[in-house]
Amino acid sequence: MKGSIRERSPGHWAIILDAPDPASGKRRRKWHSFTGTKRQAQVECARLISAMKGGTYLEPDKTTLAAFLDRWIHHIKAHVSPRSHERYADLARKNIAPLLGGIVLSKLRPAQIAASYSTALASGRRDGKGGLSPRTVHHMHRVLKQALGQAVKWELLNRNPCDAVDPPKVERVSMHTFDLPQTAELIDALRNTRMLVPALLAVLCGLRRGEIAALRWRNVDVTAGQIAVVESAEETKDGVRYKEPKSGRARTVALSSTMIDELKAHRARQAQELLRLGVRLSDDSFVVAQADAHPLKPTSITHEWVRLLGQTALPRIRFHDLRHAHATHMLASGVHPKIASERLGHSKVGITLDLYSHVLPGMQADAVVRVDDALRDAINKRTKGIG
């Protein structure tokens, strides 16, 4: 097994490898193109010979990154949710491919990937109005790394070039929620609107927007004072689909007396409203629905939230931040993080602790005071007993 280099033009080389065919024993030539100095071409030739001997050699392939990404997108469709598939496809085709898609897959290098991230941050917006956010570029990195990891598994690459690239740092966004007085003001503001129950399910029960849009009356038990969160609505280009909650498992959420009263009143109003349309409310009916009982799209909840919040003097927060408010209220009131995690539907308590670490310092201070008081009480009892 041997190799040689041949200069095609200044700085451009052909690397020719001579290797016997395992089946026929005849000599076969494999050609590789290389750009660089003569010394660099010699080093690359030696590397390819070593790869041949070690069994890690890959045949020259002209497949571009863009073509490979299309193949990968098709492959992962059966392994992720439709919404995730749409997101991966958009990032791959609309953000990554315009920057790196023309490069031959086998020639993609870490330096090129790092440079593309810098370009995306400076001028990556498709409307030409500046760069992408570090968070979006971070998502690009995750998608590209996953895709190239599959290329390694398919033996199209020896190694994943993304492993040697650091994505941009994403600064944690400060969490904005409503405190209890603001929550009370919100409830008053939404009292005679269709947003009251969705907002209450988020701020008093911690439900996600998709979970609210998928909730049916058969999952509500006001007698036992609990609801079963078994589905979540996911909006895709093909319409709304109902799937398992985000954590992948159902959960039961206890209802406060306030929430029970509001749900009873809401069901009565909804039944009367539908009766006027000649429709009978059933256990299969959605708790939060259109006036004709048809289900709501998750985005419809967001649009109505933005519209109604704009009519109040309350701070402008996202609908999802009502869920954060519920978590903050629980932890600040001394609820154990494990209980809060189960109520919120987090897969691990560590997620809860990480998301709401801003509440923990106050909890720690309160815990220190309680332990200190208990210790002082024990010391005083011991002193009196000795005396």
Side-chain angles (χ1 to χ4, degrees), residues 183-261:
T183 300
E185 182 180 345
L186 172 72
I187 293 173
D188 284 342
L190 299 180
R191 173 58 60 188
N192 296 315
T193 73
R194 303 185 74 86
M195 273 302 301
L196 176 63
V197 171
L200 289 175
L201 288 169
V203 79
L204 297 185
C205 301
L207 268 62
R208 300 177 177 91
R209 183 187 66 171
E211 294 168 347
I212 294 170
L215 186 65
R216 299 173 188 262
W217 283 112
R218 64 169 177 259
N219 304 127
V220 178
D221 188 342
V222 293
T223 302
Q226 61 186 30
I227 57 177
V229 182
V230 298
E231 282 187 309
S232 181
E234 180 181 71
E235 204 163 340
T236 71
K237 293 176 182 177
D238 295 327
V240 177
R241 64 184 287 265
Y242 297 93
K243 60 169 191 173
E244 292 179 329
K246 187 175 181 180
S247 64
R249 59 172 181 255
R251 71 184 187 279
T252 299
V253 176
L255 300 173
S256 66
S257 58
T258 298
M259 193 72 236
I260 291 173
D261 291 342

Side-chain angles (χ1 to χ4, degrees), residues 83 86 195 198 208-214 232-237 239-242 288 290 295-308 318-320:
R83 184 68 190 95
E86 288 177 2
M195 273 302 301
R208 300 177 177 91
R209 183 187 66 171
E211 294 168 347
I212 294 170
S232 181
E234 180 181 71
E235 204 163 340
T236 71
K237 293 176 182 177
V240 177
R241 64 184 287 265
Y242 297 93
V288 175
Q290 300 181 49
L296 282 173
K297 295 180 179 179
T299 51
S300 297
I301 295 176
T302 297
H303 294 156
E304 187 65 1
W305 164 255
V306 171
R307 186 183 74 82
L308 292 176
R318 303 170 305 167
F319 182 80
H320 189 75

